[in-house]
Amino acid sequence: MATKRINKQRARAGSIKDQLERIETDPAHHLTGPFQTQTPFGGTPIGSPPRSPTIRKPQEEGFWSDIKSLRWVVRPASSFKIIAAVVALYINWEIITPHVAPGSPNPFTPLIFISHPIESSSTQDPRYAKSYLDLVFIASYVVVFSFLRQIFILHVFRPFARWYGIKRSKLDRFGEQGYAIVYWGAMSVWGYLIMEQLPTYWYNTKPFWIGYPHWQMKPQLKMYYLMQASFWTQQLLVLVLGLEKPRKDYYELVCHHFVTIWLIGWSYLVSMTLMGNAVFLSMDFPDTILAVSTSPESPPSGWQPMFSRVSKFSKLLNYMQREVAKTVVFAGLIVVWTYFRIYLNSNMLWSVWFEFDMIPAETMQWAPEKGVWLAWWIRYQIFIPLLLLLCLNIFWYFLILRIAYRAVFTGNPDDDRSDDEDDDEGAKKN
């Protein structure tokens, strides 16, 4: 019995000694970070116990995988292949079909060009009508905007941000704000050029109603409207499919995009594109340089997205530490916001209430089969959303003025909450 007890004690001591020796020789207990033994991915560091092999299901990659999983939305290589395939099919049909089946319409045309021209319109001033093929056009340009978005974010603004020395945690935000400037800037110029050709220039509101229905659209106006629909559909697709890391205001953004697409579709359906162009321009131009500035105080529940939308251009300048330029842009915010978001939207709201009756009596009815939709009650259908939009703009305007007041009297106008959020995310990554 005594011998067995001694042997057990020796075995226990030996096991403890082995454990101590293993701890002393195991580099993982002493070396961390860059000083730890470096091995290829999946390798076993020298001195560490061998790991049991694990079977991992390989992740399916490639173009067809991106098609099935809809990852082409965030992978520019795959979205470019889709675009290239459509263009190639269109060109091949144009080249080959005249020799095989002359006169056959190209089925790929609606994917690239707007459809349903009005044959009775003149060739010098053509007109287009609505068509179910417009949905095909929108779907096609969702792919185009997916490609452009990722190209600008990943290959234009992110490399510039690295070169400029912007912190790693802010690269994504910088790229997104840069892409927003490109899109809103282009759409603002395009919207202005279209309005210049319309009787509604510059916010002449009576033509919104006189001569309704305005179902015969200039080609630029129709394409402009469908492009807006494609852009917002693509933005919604990225959010709903969870193809990017969701932000804190995820649900608010989804609701915002749904409402925006609904308004675009509704105004297009009832042939209110003249007013739609005016509303787009009044919203897009301020968004090019200016959006909502953040408040130094904690926002009320549910208003986080509005407070977190700092001026697109000011946000970039903030990341680039351009204080003087940021101050100038913020000063311009007050002027631009006052005119576009308050005055012009109020003017359109006044027109809905007091000029709606200018619609010809024979077309003031709900008769989709005749192409007329503006019954007497539609006045409220248009007025209420525009009123809510104006109330939001006034609310944001109050925040802008409050920030300006604090900038003058306290010298502390900034709200770094969104930047802190970026820093926290970057710290977690690092």
Side-chain angles (χ1 to χ4, degrees):
M1 294 295 294
T3 304
K4 291 182 179 180
R5 188 180 302 109
I6 293 172
N7 290 336
K8 287 182 179 180
Q9 292 175 351
R10 288 178 178 176
R12 189 180 301 110
S15 62
I16 296 174
K17 181 179 179 181
D18 292 340
Q19 293 174 9
L20 293 175
E21 289 177 351
R22 185 160 57 248
I23 291 174
E24 291 298 324
T25 57
D26 189 352
H29 290 277
H30 298 278
L31 306 180
T32 59
F35 301 99
Q36 192 170 359
T37 305
Q38 303 297 309
T39 61
F41 294 115
T44 302
I46 300 175
S48 61
R51 295 178 295 182
S52 58
T54 58
I55 300 176
R56 295 183 179 179
K57 184 178 179 180
Q59 184 177 2
E60 188 180 1
E61 297 290 345
F63 176 67
W64 290 114
S65 174
D66 289 349
I67 295 294
K68 292 183 291 184
S69 64
L70 298 179
R71 286 195 299 266
W72 55 264
V73 177
V74 292
R75 293 188 175 177
S78 295
S79 55
F80 177 77
K81 291 177 182 178
I82 298 174
I83 298 169
V86 171
V87 174
L89 290 171
Y90 171 81
I91 294 175
N92 286 337
W93 187 280
E94 290 293 314
I95 294 175
I96 298 175
T97 304
H99 304 286
V100 178
S104 299
N106 192 328
F108 304 102
T109 299
L111 292 168
I112 303 175
F113 305 102
I114 56 175
S115 57
H116 206 17
I118 300 174
E119 296 180 357
S120 59
S121 60
S122 65
T123 56
Q124 291 78 18
D125 189 18
R127 291 291 189 272
Y128 283 74
K130 300 187 294 272
S131 170
Y132 285 110
L133 290 177
D134 296 341
L135 298 176
V136 177
F137 182 91
I138 291 173
S140 177
Y141 278 85
V142 165
V143 183
V144 174
F145 278 117
S146 299
F147 172 73
L148 293 177
R149 182 179 188 271
Q150 295 305 100
I151 286 295
F152 276 104
I153 291 177
L154 300 178
H155 301 290
V156 177
F157 290 103
R158 183 176 290 182
F160 173 79
R162 288 197 184 101
W163 170 82
Y164 198 85
I166 293 175
K167 290 192 297 185
R168 179 182 177 184
S169 61
K170 297 178 180 177
L171 293 179
D172 290 338
R173 287 289 184 92
F174 187 92
E176 292 169 2
Q177 301 302 324
Y179 172 70
I181 287 178
V182 172
Y183 176 78
W184 298 125
M187 296 305 288
S188 298
V189 173
W190 193 10
Y192 173 82
L193 294 176
I194 290 173
M195 180 182 279
E196 202 175 25
Q197 306 173 29
L198 301 176
T200 54
Y201 183 85
W202 171 258
Y203 287 86
N204 180 19
T205 57
K206 291 182 180 180
F208 291 161
W209 320 105
I210 297 175
Y212 180 85
H214 307 117
W215 62 274
Q216 298 187 11
M217 294 175 284
K218 287 180 174 290
Q220 298 90 342
L221 178 60
K222 177 170 182 173
M223 183 175 290
Y224 171 79
Y225 237 85
L226 297 182
M227 286 292 188
Q228 291 276 19
S230 298
F231 171 81
W232 287 107
T233 303
Q234 191 273 336
Q235 294 287 91
L236 178 64
L237 193 62
V238 171
L239 289 175
V240 172
L241 296 178
L243 298 175
E244 290 185 346
K245 183 178 179 180
R247 301 192 184 280
K248 293 181 180 180
D249 55 357
Y250 170 80
Y251 293 105
E252 291 88 344
L253 283 175
V254 170
C255 292
H256 170 270
H257 292 354
F258 266 118
V259 171
T260 301
I261 294 171
W262 180 81
L263 290 174
I264 294 173
W266 176 258
S267 60
Y268 187 74
L269 176 66
V270 301
S271 301
M272 287 297 296
T273 52
L274 297 183
M275 174 175 279
N277 167 248
V279 174
F280 274 134
L281 186 57
S282 71
M283 303 297 288
D284 290 354
F285 181 72
D287 275 343
T288 306
I289 306 175
L290 314 158
V292 180
S293 295
T294 58
S295 168
E297 297 176 353
S298 299
S301 176
W303 294 95
Q304 179 67 29
M306 303 163 192
F307 283 85
S308 63
R309 295 296 177 268
V310 184
S311 160
K312 305 298 184 190
F313 194 57
S314 293
K315 191 69 172 177
L316 294 186
L317 296 173
N318 184 49
Y319 290 152
M320 298 168 67
Q321 301 299 312
R322 297 291 183 179
E323 298 298 330
V324 175
K326 185 174 64 174
T327 303
V328 172
V329 169
F330 184 78
L333 164 65
I334 299 176
V335 177
V336 173
W337 196 277
T338 302
Y339 180 70
F340 279 88
R341 292 290 181 92
I342 305 300
Y343 173 73
L344 291 181
N345 277 280
S346 299
N347 189 42
M348 288 185 286
L349 194 65
W350 183 91
S351 174
V352 174
W353 192 257
F354 292 101
E355 297 179 341
F356 183 86
D357 293 331
M358 292 183 176
I359 298 173
E362 64 274 11
T363 62
M364 191 180 292
Q365 57 178 313
W366 181 270
E369 68 280 1
K370 299 179 181 179
V372 293
W373 310 76
L374 297 191
W376 63 268
W377 53 270
I378 292 293
R379 181 203 306 262
Y380 305 98
Q381 176 77 11
I382 301 172
F383 184 84
I384 292 175
L386 288 180
L387 178 62
L388 293 176
L389 180 61
L390 180 61
C391 290
L392 288 176
N393 284 327
I394 293 174
F395 174 74
W396 295 333
Y397 189 57
F398 165 75
L399 300 180
I400 293 169
L401 295 179
R402 186 172 64 176
I403 293 172
Y405 173 84
R406 289 175 177 172
V408 174
F409 292 99
T410 67
N412 183 27
D414 291 335
D415 174 22
D416 294 328
R417 179 173 49 255
S418 58
D419 290 343
D420 293 340
E421 180 182 339
D422 290 340
D423 292 341
D424 293 340
E425 292 178 359
K428 290 177 183 179
K429 291 179 182 179
N430 295 333

